[in-house]
Amino acid sequence: MTKLNEIFSLRDADSDDMHWIVALAEELAEVTVAPLRGVWGEHARRFARESIGKLIPYHRSGTMRFLVACDKLTEQRVGYLILNMHHECPFELRETYIEDMGVVSDYLGKRAGHFLTDEAARISGEAGVHYLGAHISFSNRRALLAALGNGFELESYRIVRPCTPEAVETTKNSEAALERQTQLEKTRKMVLNRRIKRRQRTEARANRKT
């Protein structure tokens, strides 16, 4: 048993979890959704809500697995991962695919995301699927670095070019949203660093007492 399995548990989501998953996805949308096409603010939250809503029927059929990670000590839900069990990669081979995932702010830096992707990889391997895929917004640098540090490999870049005056204007306007995402990410990082330092001080005090 790995250390993360000692801290977190995994289960398939039930009907009560679905409302929680949608609410967390909406909360994280301004950081995780690329604003290039004008999808930011309330639009991003609505996009997250509607996207997950469209996947829920596939959970009932087994095509998608909505996985929930919980803190074993508190039994609190700490994150979710939506795993597409029958995705087709560009080479016409079956792969599993992370449609979406999220971790509550209080558990940033506690490797809850690593636990979720490790479990998704385990489930994939047990199903005989060789590869687990995912898509990460270019503006979500923290998620990209976390994935590359946890067994994922960078396979391709996806680019897009605005082709109409309306699209060009939308792209220009997205710069303000990108700046907002940057500020939100800086705030999240600052909170995370404070949390890590606080935990380190607590552990140091505990070690001195022993």
Side-chain angles (χ1 to χ4, degrees), residues 27-35 103-105 108-109 136-147 176-195:
E27 178 186 329
L28 299 175
E30 285 199 69
V31 176
T32 59
V33 177
V103 174
V104 300
S105 296
L108 290 175
I136 298 175
S137 164
F138 80 96
S139 59
N140 195 358
R141 182 173 175 79
R142 178 188 56 79
L144 175 62
L145 294 177
L178 281 171
E179 179 62 26
R180 176 175 170 78
Q181 281 192 339
T182 300
Q183 292 302 321
L184 287 171
E185 188 59 32
K186 285 181 179 179
T187 301
R188 287 162 64 90
K189 186 176 181 180
M190 181 177 64
V191 171
L192 173 60
N193 288 336
R194 288 177 179 174
R195 190 172 295 136

Side-chain angles (χ1 to χ4, degrees), residues 108-129:
L108 290 175
K110 296 184 179 180
R111 297 172 64 83
H114 279 39
F115 171 75
L116 281 163
T117 52
D118 286 349
E119 289 298 291
R122 176 186 62 78
I123 291 169
S124 302
E126 290 176 353
V129 180

Side-chain angles (χ1 to χ4, degrees), residues 36-38 161-174:
L36 184 64
R37 301 171 189 253
R161 175 176 172 172
C163 302
T164 64
E166 180 183 358
V168 170
E169 185 64 25
T170 299
T171 301
K172 288 180 179 179
N173 292 338
S174 71

Side-chain angles (χ1 to χ4, degrees), residues 18-207:
M18 294 302 178
H19 299 289
W20 176 82
I21 288 172
V22 171
L24 181 56
E26 287 188 61
E27 178 186 329
L28 299 175
E30 285 199 69
V31 176
T32 59
V33 177
L36 184 64
R37 301 171 189 253
V39 183
W40 55 282
E42 179 55 35
H43 191 174
R45 290 189 289 272
R46 184 173 67 252
F47 171 79
R49 180 172 63 252
E50 293 176 351
S51 297
I52 292 178
K54 291 176 181 178
L55 298 178
I56 291 176
Y58 296 99
H59 167 67
R60 301 189 185 104
S61 69
T63 302
M64 303 276 178
R65 289 188 64 178
F66 281 57
L67 306 172
V68 176
C70 298
D71 186 318
K72 283 189 172 182
L73 184 62
T74 65
E75 298 185 352
Q76 287 184 317
R77 294 172 293 201
V78 303
Y80 72 89
L81 185 148
I82 303 174
L83 183 64
N84 185 336
M85 296 299 297
H86 296 277
H87 190 263
E88 188 176 277
C89 76
F91 307 104
E92 298 183 353
L93 298 172
R94 179 189 172 192
E95 67 176 5
T96 51
Y97 189 82
I98 299 173
E99 296 287 348
D100 194 35
M101 67 175 291
V103 174
V104 300
S105 296
D106 286 347
Y107 280 82
L108 290 175
K110 296 184 179 180
R111 297 172 64 83
H114 279 39
F115 171 75
L116 281 163
T117 52
D118 286 349
E119 289 298 291
R122 176 186 62 78
I123 291 169
S124 302
E126 290 176 353
V129 180
H130 295 297
Y131 292 98
L132 167 66
H135 173 86
I136 298 175
S137 164
F138 80 96
S139 59
N140 195 358
R141 182 173 175 79
R142 178 188 56 79
L144 175 62
L145 294 177
L148 294 178
N150 192 42
F152 285 87
E153 301 290 342
L154 189 61
E155 184 176 45
S156 63
Y157 292 97
R158 186 177 188 280
I159 58 176
V160 61
R161 175 176 172 172
C163 302
T164 64
E166 180 183 358
V168 170
E169 185 64 25
T170 299
T171 301
K172 288 180 179 179
N173 292 338
S174 71
E175 293 178 1
L178 281 171
E179 179 62 26
R180 176 175 170 78
Q181 281 192 339
T182 300
Q183 292 302 321
L184 287 171
E185 188 59 32
K186 285 181 179 179
T187 301
R188 287 162 64 90
K189 186 176 181 180
M190 181 177 64
V191 171
L192 173 60
N193 288 336
R194 288 177 179 174
R195 190 172 295 136
I196 291 173
K197 289 179 180 179
R198 189 182 306 119
R199 185 165 66 245
Q200 290 173 339
R201 289 195 296 269
T202 301
E203 291 174 353
R205 286 195 295 268
N207 290 334

